[in-house]
Amino acid sequence: PPPPLPPPPPGGLQQLNDNVAFLTAGLGAYIFLDSRFDSASKETTAQIATSSKETSAQMAQTTAQIAQLDVKFAQLDVKFTVLLCMFAALVLVGIALVKGSDAEQR
């Protein structure tokens, strides 16, 4: 048979109980802090997701506004081209009138 265990030193059982209590309290604190961290992490993830959605919506709105400005610019470009052609036509008519009046005077 194995030899009997030596008796615990005086106060040894109390020290063991104190160590178990300390480890139990430490484990409880760890579990509490871990759950707090997990909760904060989930909240931060939710905030990032919300912020990302808001940013995407703003980008979509900005893209739509840019598209509207592109259309307006194209309309202005067409109007400018029409005005430029009308001005050129007036200049040509004026030149023709001046040449016609010069030809009549000769």
Side-chain angles (χ1 to χ4, degrees):
L5 295 173
L13 192 56
Q14 182 59 43
Q15 182 65 37
L16 181 62
N17 285 338
D18 290 347
N19 288 347
V20 168
F22 176 76
L23 290 174
T24 303
L27 182 61
Y30 170 78
I31 291 171
F32 171 75
L33 291 176
D34 185 53
S35 67
R36 292 280 307 255
F37 175 78
D38 189 45
S39 173
S41 175
K42 287 178 183 175
E43 183 178 336
T44 302
T45 302
Q47 289 173 347
I48 290 171
T50 301
S51 177
S52 177
K53 287 178 186 175
E54 290 172 355
T55 302
S56 294
Q58 289 173 351
M59 287 177 62
Q61 182 179 5
T62 302
T63 303
Q65 289 172 343
I66 290 172
Q68 289 174 349
L69 289 175
D70 282 345
V71 169
K72 288 181 181 179
F73 180 74
Q75 290 171 347
L76 287 175
D77 192 33
V78 168
K79 289 178 182 178
F80 177 75
T81 303
V82 169
L83 287 175
L84 189 60
C85 289
M86 289 174 66
F87 178 73
L90 286 175
V91 168
L92 291 174
V93 168
I95 291 172
L97 289 175
V98 168
K99 283 187 177 181
S101 94
D102 280 347
E104 285 179 7
Q105 287 178 1
R106 290 185 187 172

